[in-house]
Amino acid sequence: MTSEMTAYTIEEYGNPDVFTETTVEIPDPEPDEIRIETVASSVNPVDYKIRRGDLPDFSPDFPAILHCDVAGIVDSVGANVERFEEGDEVYGMPGGAGQQGTLADYVTGHVDTFAHAPETLPLEEAASLPVVALTAWEMLVDKTTVDIDDEVLVYGASGGVGHIGVQLARWFGANVTATGSSEEKRALATEIGADVTVDYTTTDVEAYVNDHASEDGFDIVFDPIGDDHLQTAFQAVRPFGTVVTTESSSTQDLSAMHANSLELGVVLVILPVLLGKHQSRIGEELETIAALVDDGAIEPHIDERFTFEEVAAAHRLGEMGDFTGKLLLVNE
């Protein structure tokens, strides 16, 4: 095996054209790591926020290899690793924030940031799942409990996190109301299990609460968008209800939480990678998610596929937001 590989790196923050195809040393796994031959990655908002320089604390060292999601085949295991062996098909979230990521022919990462890939999905499609499925899972399982017939409102229901959130809430037995800004986005939400969809651009909160929530609001509002959606979420949730969000950087008025005795759960799914500890939660949750995929409860929706060489085009489309589900990056 040669000692060098192709990687797509950035030397500075900037627009999507900042990616450069380059040759770097193939990394060797540490005792608690595995190395995989990369089959695919995918695009998440965190990837282009890091590329732009919006999240300097999350950036790997320059020259930086970005992207958090990966699917591939184990090609080397560290001395302490027992969970995997060479040839295993895995998917995971080993880096891309805080440490080097997955836009390369090979990637190493802590063994606990990987799981066996779903058996019923093409391996490259498994790369669409880690960040969004872990986020949706932690929002609905770690930060709240969804009971049968709970009324759950999902914002951005056709987006990466949102379209997994709809499917998970449905699997838990909830009644799901999903928002979307276009007919295409609302059609996808219906197709993947939403009971009702709402065009939030033409319907105010009071109206859809009155129409679709049986009491004074929804039991749970699932908000993978954040910013000022959070204020809308506080209006849409019932007293003593829960809002779960990925909100990160805006300043928000929390007085509605006090007035209605609300719970707020906030998820930063890449935290174990940034901290270099608590990684086992990633692997365990990914094993559960793979089982749900194989049971037919979750299916990722892939809107477009790009090659690694086309990463700039994938980022441009990602930032425009004119797509549903996920954008896949395939290593050809």
Side-chain angles (χ1 to χ4, degrees):
M1 176 168 151
T2 63
S3 61
E4 293 188 324
M5 66 176 180
T6 300
Y8 294 82
T9 62
I10 67 169
E11 295 275 5
E12 59 184 359
Y13 302 126
N15 68 32
D17 297 316
V18 81
F19 286 101
T20 306
E21 182 181 329
T22 184
T23 304
V24 298
E25 289 287 311
I26 294 176
D28 287 320
E30 298 287 331
D32 292 319
E33 292 184 336
I34 61 173
R35 181 175 67 209
I36 70 165
E37 187 173 352
T38 307
V39 169
S41 181
S42 78
V43 182
N44 294 290
V46 69
D47 302 318
Y48 50 77
K49 288 176 181 175
I50 292 172
R51 188 211 77 231
R52 289 194 304 236
D54 297 356
L55 303 170
D57 293 349
F58 291 6
S59 179
D61 294 334
F62 291 130
I65 303 174
L66 303 188
H67 283 250
C68 300
D69 285 334
V70 72
I73 298 163
V74 177
D75 110 301
S76 179
V77 299
N80 299 338
V81 172
E82 295 177 358
R83 281 179 57 215
F84 302 107
E85 53 190 42
E86 289 180 24
D88 284 356
E89 295 190 350
V90 298
Y91 75 138
M93 190 180 69
Q99 55 190 333
Q100 299 297 349
T102 63
L103 278 187
D105 290 339
Y106 294 88
V107 60
T108 56
H110 194 284
V111 60
D112 289 341
T113 60
F114 294 94
H116 292 97
E119 292 173 12
T120 54
L121 206 58
L123 182 57
E124 66 182 38
E125 294 187 11
S128 67
L129 281 168
V131 168
V132 296
L134 288 166
T135 300
W137 179 264
E138 291 189 6
M139 288 168 78
L140 290 174
V141 177
D142 283 1
K143 302 300 180 183
T144 188
T145 303
V146 183
D147 293 321
I148 290 174
D149 289 336
D150 271 356
E151 293 171 339
V152 178
L153 174 65
V154 177
Y155 287 145
S158 67
V161 176
H163 89 290
I164 303 297
V166 168
Q167 294 175 73
L168 275 178
R170 186 62 191 248
W171 183 70
F172 286 129
N175 296 318
V176 181
T177 299
T179 73
S181 58
S182 70
E183 278 187 34
E184 180 198 8
K185 290 177 175 180
R186 294 190 296 278
L188 175 63
T190 301
E191 190 183 313
I192 59 178
D195 298 281
V196 176
T197 63
V198 169
D199 180 351
Y200 69 90
T201 64
T202 59
T203 318
D204 64 26
V205 187
E206 211 169 71
Y208 60 74
V209 168
N210 286 339
D211 289 348
H212 306 302
S214 55
E215 306 233 346
D216 305 326
F218 294 89
D219 297 302
I220 296 162
V221 179
F222 179 99
D223 166 35
I225 300 167
D227 298 329
D228 295 339
H229 272 77
L230 207 50
Q231 296 305 322
T232 318
F234 293 153
Q235 291 174 268
V237 73
R238 64 165 170 78
F240 306 104
T242 303
V243 175
V244 288
T245 186
T246 56
E247 164 55 33
S248 61
S249 53
S250 69
T251 303
Q252 297 292 328
D253 178 359
L254 300 183
S255 56
M257 288 186 62
H258 185 255
N260 286 307
S261 199
L262 303 177
E263 287 192 58
L264 177 65
V266 185
V267 168
L268 174 61
V269 78
I270 57 173
L271 187 59
V273 178
L274 294 169
L275 294 176
K277 49 188 176 184
H278 309 296
Q279 293 105 323
S280 59
R281 62 187 291 136
I282 296 175
E284 288 163 9
E285 289 168 9
L286 285 173
E287 294 284 0
T288 302
I289 289 158
L292 289 175
V293 171
D294 289 338
D295 285 347
I298 296 173
E299 183 180 351
H301 173 80
I302 292 159
D303 193 311
E304 282 199 48
R305 293 163 198 260
F306 297 83
T307 65
F308 276 18
E309 284 179 17
E310 297 168 323
V311 61
H315 272 236
R316 271 192 287 274
L317 180 55
E319 286 175 299
M320 281 168 49
D322 193 20
F323 66 97
T324 54
K326 288 299 302 264
L327 304 176
L328 201 64
L329 283 162
V330 181
N331 186 22
E332 294 186 346

